[in-house]
Amino acid sequence: MHRRGVGAGAIAKKKLAEAKYKERGTVLAEDQLAQMSKQLDMFKTNLEEFASKHKQEIRKNPEFRVQFQDMCATIGVDPLASGKGFWSEMLGVGDFYYELGVQIIEVCLALKHRNGGLIMLEELHQQVLKGRGKFAQDVSQDDLLRAIKKLKVLGNGFGIIPVGGTYLIQSVPAELNMDHTVVLQLAEKKGYVTVSEIRSSLKWETERAKQVLEHLLKEGMAWLDTQAAGEPQYWLPALFTELYAQEITPEEAKEAIP
Amino acid sequence: MDRFSWTSGLLELGETLVVQQRGVRLCDGEEKVKFDTGVLLLSTHRLIWRDQKNHECCIAVPLSQIVFIEEQAAGIGKSAKIVVHLHPASSNKEPGPFQSSKYSYIKLSFKEHGEIEFYRRLSEEITQRRWENMPTGQTIQVTKDPQAGRIRAVGIVGIERKLEEKRKETDKNISEAFEDLSKLMEKAKEMVELSKSIANKIKEKQGDITEDETIRFKSYLLSMGIANPVTRETHGSGTHYHMQLAKQLAGILQTPLEERGGIMSLTEVYCLVNRARGLELLSPEDLVNACKMLESLKLPLRLRIFDSGVMVIELQSHNEEEMVASALETVSEKGSLTADEFAKLVGMSVLLAKERLLLAEKMGHLCRDDSVEGLRFYPNLFLTQS
């Protein structure tokens, strides 16, 4: 009677069997990698063809860019992840958005001392367009938002805060939690807010309202008007529509360029 | 809106086109009406509006009906507008879309801009009143082109029609582009599926895949812009590309860092490097991934992340803790300083100045005074004078 499964011989056999399985496993992945490499080459060709026909469309047409981005997101592809990606190299989408990123950073830095690092998307849009000059490609607000989303990874505190149907862009690493955001949204209508308004609209206690407003003051995002009739008003320079498209002074520009 | 009459849109003899603008909506006083997207034409005699979707729908009002006009600036989410105040409709007016209106003014809403120019021209025409000098009455000869099956008009309107055709052609190009884009995306989707299945295999095997193959796979993902589902501690999201980049950065940033006291924020680096490159720019992720590899590649720079999340590049020789000692001296000399004041004194960016002061506080050398007037730092007398 043979005893199966014991002894040095059995162990050696088992090891051989395992090794064979391992090999197979590795071979399977190797096969798939080779397949992917081939498909990648084919895809590159398809992309080249697409680029030769429609590259202009992407550069000139903001609507088309939106469609393109949405489709990429749906299938799980990020065309802006790397400058070395096919999308960037062949369609030139990368350069468009990365350069826009630089321009956004510069505008935010230049205006930071005025608004504490908060700026309305409309104002950012106008300032960026001005900086780009008459002959540059048109840039939409959607383009700005996508560029800003990519900038977040640099750790400088870039954030997008929805207010009143549009957005406030944050460009400093100040902590803005839900409470702060909600007060910003309340202030958006008139450009300022008071403690009483917060108490009546949000049903908060005075202490909570005061804390939020003081935080905004400290961060330089709000200014206090103690001479207002009635009670003090907390103004947000970021929301002053009258200040939109005011020229960036040479001193401010110097602050921006490293 | 009861001052408008239906019209063919053709100019009359003696009538000249002055300016036109697409994307204009008409409002009856404060109320919206169905005329919401059209081309607005200003001639020497009339204000004409034609629906962009249905060219048959065309209305006009004589300029002589206008009392005065005003501008309404654009706001958030609102287009710029021109308000046109009108005389009451004359009794022999040609039939139009409305019999009566409770408003004596209309609003022209410029959804695609062009309000400023249009207002200027309209003001001019109202002032000059050229319609009084040029008698009209006869419409231009129209000939029906049997082959094309459409009315061919000469003059300005003919040019306008050609422009319209060109626009249609552009629209056609765009739909072709969308079609091609959809097909391309189908193929990209296949790539994503394949990469998912390979990633799963790698996860299962856990170490039976060679380093080499992992690197290859990561570079494929990078090319396609697919997020890396497999995290490896040794390389992170980095690929050979990022390694090369890290080495390049070490070369490019040496001098700028020395000029700035040995430390720069990552946003500064991003701007500096991309401005220098001009083309083939780096994505923010490329920069971060490359910087993460600096230390392991033993390059003379390193990435540092402060508690606040702010990311900086430092020279290896730079010692932020030593800089804190000199910061303490500076603050002591002045009694107290805010980040802004410190930044100006030392010649640093406010962002990095703040980080240094915060670090000094963390190390116990400085105390803060946090008030609505700002964040001010004092030497920590609790420590030194206990």
Side-chain angles (χ1 to χ4, degrees), chain A residues 27-39:
Chain A
V27 164
L28 275 178
E30 175 63 49
D31 269 350
Q32 282 200 300
L33 275 181
Q35 184 193 358
M36 185 161 189
S37 174
K38 254 199 291 176
Q39 270 190 255

Side-chain angles (χ1 to χ4, degrees), chain A residues 21-22 25-26 28-30 32-37 39-40 43 46-47 50 53-54 57-58 61 63-64 67-68 71-72 75-88 91 94-103 105-106 109 112 120 122 147 150-156 158 164 166 172-173 188 214 217-219 224 241 244 255 257-258, chain B residues 76-77 170 173-174 176-178 180-182 184-192 194-198 201-202 205 208-210 213-214 216-217 219-227 241-242 260 264-272 274-275 278-288 308-311 348-351 354-355 370-375:
Chain A
Y21 278 128
K22 255 196 203 178
T26 318
L28 275 178
E30 175 63 49
Q32 282 200 300
L33 275 181
Q35 184 193 358
M36 185 161 189
S37 174
Q39 270 190 255
L40 215 60
F43 182 78
N46 286 327
L47 187 54
F50 180 84
K53 281 203 282 178
H54 303 298
E57 213 58 61
I58 298 224
N61 188 339
E63 251 308 304
F64 193 66
Q67 275 292 344
F68 168 74
M71 282 183 166
C72 285
I75 62 173
V77 156
D78 182 1
L80 298 181
S82 171
K84 202 81 178 108
F86 285 163
W87 308 97
S88 196
L91 290 180
D95 279 5
F96 176 82
Y97 285 98
Y98 307 147
E99 184 180 19
L100 193 52
V102 173
Q103 291 162 344
I105 291 172
E106 289 179 343
L109 274 178
K112 190 172 74 163
M120 288 293 274
E122 278 74 16
K150 284 286 140 194
L151 289 177
K152 281 189 188 190
V153 77
L154 295 176
N156 225 58
F158 269 95
T166 174
V172 290
E188 187 266 337
E214 275 176 20
L217 275 179
K218 278 188 211 163
E219 293 294 341
L224 179 58
T241 46
Y244 279 15
E255 173 70 33
I257 299 173
Chain B
I76 300 176
T170 314
N173 286 342
I174 296 186
E176 201 189 299
F178 277 128
D180 287 346
L181 182 64
S182 302
L184 188 71
M185 287 299 167
E186 281 303 314
K187 303 209 171 81
K189 200 166 162 195
E190 286 169 22
M191 302 295 306
V192 175
L194 183 55
S195 76
K196 278 196 194 139
S197 102
I198 296 181
K201 286 241 155 39
I202 293 181
K205 296 305 163 198
D208 285 21
I209 220 82
T210 66
E213 285 165 342
T214 315
R216 260 172 71 196
F217 181 52
S219 75
Y220 295 162
L221 294 178
L222 189 74
S223 301
M224 281 302 298
I226 299 172
Y241 167 63
H242 294 117
R260 287 165 180 73
M264 280 172 80
S265 76
L266 214 54
T267 35
E268 280 181 272
V269 173
Y270 176 78
C271 290
L272 191 85
N274 275 342
R275 280 265 178 244
L279 286 178
E280 291 182 15
L281 304 181
L282 300 182
S283 76
E285 275 164 63
D286 285 336
L287 183 62
V288 172
S308 60
V310 170
M311 296 166 92
M348 285 178 86
S349 74
V350 179
L351 185 78
K354 192 169 180 192
E355 290 302 327
D370 210 352
S371 71
V372 291
E373 285 164 14
L375 179 59

Side-chain angles (χ1 to χ4, degrees), chain A residues 57-227:
Chain A
E57 213 58 61
I58 298 224
R59 283 188 345 115
K60 294 203 178 142
N61 188 339
E63 251 308 304
F64 193 66
R65 279 201 290 279
V66 172
Q67 275 292 344
F68 168 74
Q69 294 274 17
D70 283 347
M71 282 183 166
C72 285
T74 309
I75 62 173
V77 156
D78 182 1
L80 298 181
S82 171
K84 202 81 178 108
F86 285 163
W87 308 97
S88 196
E89 289 186 328
M90 271 173 254
L91 290 180
V93 255
D95 279 5
F96 176 82
Y97 285 98
Y98 307 147
E99 184 180 19
L100 193 52
V102 173
Q103 291 162 344
I104 291 170
I105 291 172
E106 289 179 343
V107 167
C108 288
L109 274 178
L111 295 177
K112 190 172 74 163
H113 74 284
R114 279 193 217 167
N115 55 33
L118 275 186
I119 183 172
M120 288 293 274
L121 184 60
E122 278 74 16
E123 185 177 3
L124 180 61
H125 191 200
Q126 281 185 24
Q127 295 284 11
V128 165
L129 284 176
K130 266 213 277 205
R132 283 168 76 91
K134 281 192 286 185
F135 303 106
Q137 284 157 257
D138 199 16
V139 145
S140 70
Q141 287 185 3
D142 182 83
D143 292 328
L144 288 175
L145 288 173
R146 291 187 198 271
I148 292 168
K149 286 188 186 136
K150 284 286 140 194
L151 289 177
K152 281 189 188 190
V153 77
L154 295 176
N156 225 58
F158 269 95
I160 300 176
I161 303 168
V163 297
T166 174
Y167 300 94
L168 265 175
I169 307 301
Q170 178 185 356
S171 60
V172 290
E175 196 221 298
L176 290 181
N177 59 31
M178 289 284 288
D179 273 9
H180 303 123
T181 311
V182 142
V183 167
L184 288 174
Q185 288 165 346
L186 190 59
E188 187 266 337
K189 302 194 193 84
K190 294 188 286 185
Y192 71 91
V193 74
T194 61
V195 172
S196 317
E197 276 169 19
I198 296 179
R199 281 171 53 103
S200 61
S201 304
L202 302 175
K203 309 279 186 273
W204 288 0
E205 266 132 43
T206 308
E207 198 46 49
R208 185 177 175 187
K210 277 210 167 131
Q211 262 194 20
V212 165
L213 292 171
E214 275 176 20
H215 181 82
L216 294 175
L217 275 179
K218 278 188 211 163
E219 293 294 341
M221 294 172 179
W223 295 352
L224 179 58
D225 179 7
T226 47
Q227 294 178 337

Side-chain angles (χ1 to χ4, degrees), chain B residues 236-248:
Chain B
S237 305
T239 63
H240 269 142
Y241 167 63
H242 294 117
M243 261 199 285
Q244 305 288 56
L245 197 49
K247 292 180 191 155
Q248 272 177 33

